[in-house]
Amino acid sequence: MVSLYALFGSWLDTLSLSAYLCMGLMVLVGAAMQGVGGLGYAMLCAPLAALYFPELVPGPLLAVGAPLALLAYLRERQALDVRVAAAALAGRVVGTAAAAVLLSLVDADGLAIFFALLILSGVALSLVGWKVAPTVNNLSVAGLFSGVMGTITAAGGPPFAIAMQRLPPATLRSTLGMVFFIGTLVSLAALTWVGRMGGAQWFYSLALLPWMLAGFSVSTALARKVSRDRIRHWLLGTALVSSLVILWQAL
């Protein structure tokens, strides 16, 4: 049987225990947040990883986020809104394909600034009373923005936070789980195509998988106790903070 060291020895040698524990704690907290509110994993992990663990952005974070999203869907699959999921996914796939092309043509920081400013505008409008209905058109646009942002920064949640803020919590979590799972697989395929998802990235993904599972397990009991209003405020707050951090990093 091939040992773990034989497969990943060179990367194990460069990863200190303290760095691994910090990465793991970050993923655990992010997974618990997403398990409760439908969003939060990438919004927390992507900015922190960009600052302290750039080797995790975007591929490994996306690879860990895919099974997390699948678990969220499976836990409350009876609440899935097929119409919402289909519209959001259609936009997400188009946005991911666009991001793959844009990454080869345009500076990634410039794209991150543009979309972060759009999200900040949406959050501000929502806070002053703008009501975003989860219509097919709105969800498709949110999916488009999410595909671009998720592929470039690993944080594709903010557009959905605005477009889906008024959905019931169980429907929100289940539908976003399905959307993020399929959308993340597409993003990983795009990153592989442009040469940004190789052996080192898969090593980090596998190493952090147990932490994600622990975080999601914690969220199961907490998810039943959170009200719809708190979920909405949580979505807008995380979208605001995530966009500000992405903007600060890019600048």
Side-chain angles (χ1 to χ4, degrees):
M1 183 175 180
V2 180
S3 69
L4 185 65
Y5 190 85
L7 288 173
F8 301 118
S10 60
W11 297 308
L12 284 169
D13 289 339
T14 61
L15 180 62
S16 68
L17 178 60
S18 59
Y20 174 63
L21 292 176
C22 289
M23 290 177 181
L25 182 61
M26 175 186 70
V27 169
L28 186 151
V29 174
M33 290 166 60
Q34 181 145 327
V36 172
L39 294 169
Y41 164 74
M43 291 183 181
L44 171 75
C45 296
L48 288 178
L51 286 173
Y52 302 109
F53 312 113
E55 60 269 35
L56 301 183
V57 181
L61 288 184
L62 287 171
V64 174
L68 170 62
L70 179 61
L71 289 172
Y73 158 69
L74 291 174
R75 186 179 63 188
E76 297 176 289
R77 56 188 176 276
Q78 71 282 353
L80 176 71
D81 189 319
V82 177
R83 178 188 63 88
V84 170
L89 271 172
R92 173 96 186 199
V93 171
V94 173
T96 301
V101 175
L102 289 171
L103 280 172
S104 63
L105 300 174
V106 184
D107 177 60
D109 286 342
L111 289 171
I113 291 171
F114 173 69
F115 283 100
L117 290 174
L118 284 179
I119 296 303
L120 288 174
S121 299
V123 171
L125 289 171
S126 296
L127 292 175
V128 298
W130 180 45
K131 294 185 178 181
V132 184
T135 63
V136 170
N137 288 339
N138 288 342
L139 291 164
S140 297
V141 173
L144 176 67
F145 287 0
S146 176
V148 175
M149 289 186 67
T151 304
I152 294 172
T153 69
F160 287 134
I162 295 173
M164 298 185 182
Q165 59 183 285
R166 299 187 183 277
L167 290 175
T171 300
L172 174 77
R173 289 189 292 262
S174 177
T175 304
L176 279 178
M178 173 59 72
V179 170
F180 281 144
F181 174 64
I182 298 177
T184 299
L185 292 182
V186 176
S187 292
L188 286 170
L191 288 172
T192 302
W193 179 57
V194 297
R196 297 185 63 184
M197 193 68 193
Q201 287 74 34
W202 285 114
F203 160 69
Y204 287 113
S205 305
L206 292 172
L208 293 172
L209 197 58
W211 295 87
M212 179 278 289
L213 294 172
F216 184 77
S217 298
V218 170
S219 77
T220 299
L222 297 176
R224 304 187 186 98
K225 302 177 182 179
V226 182
S227 69
R228 181 171 179 168
D229 284 341
R230 287 192 175 185
I231 291 289
R232 178 174 178 268
H233 294 151
W234 162 252
L235 291 175
L236 293 176
T238 50
L240 173 65
V241 173
S242 179
S243 298
L244 285 173
V245 173
I246 290 172
L247 185 62
W248 176 72
Q249 290 171 345
L251 292 174

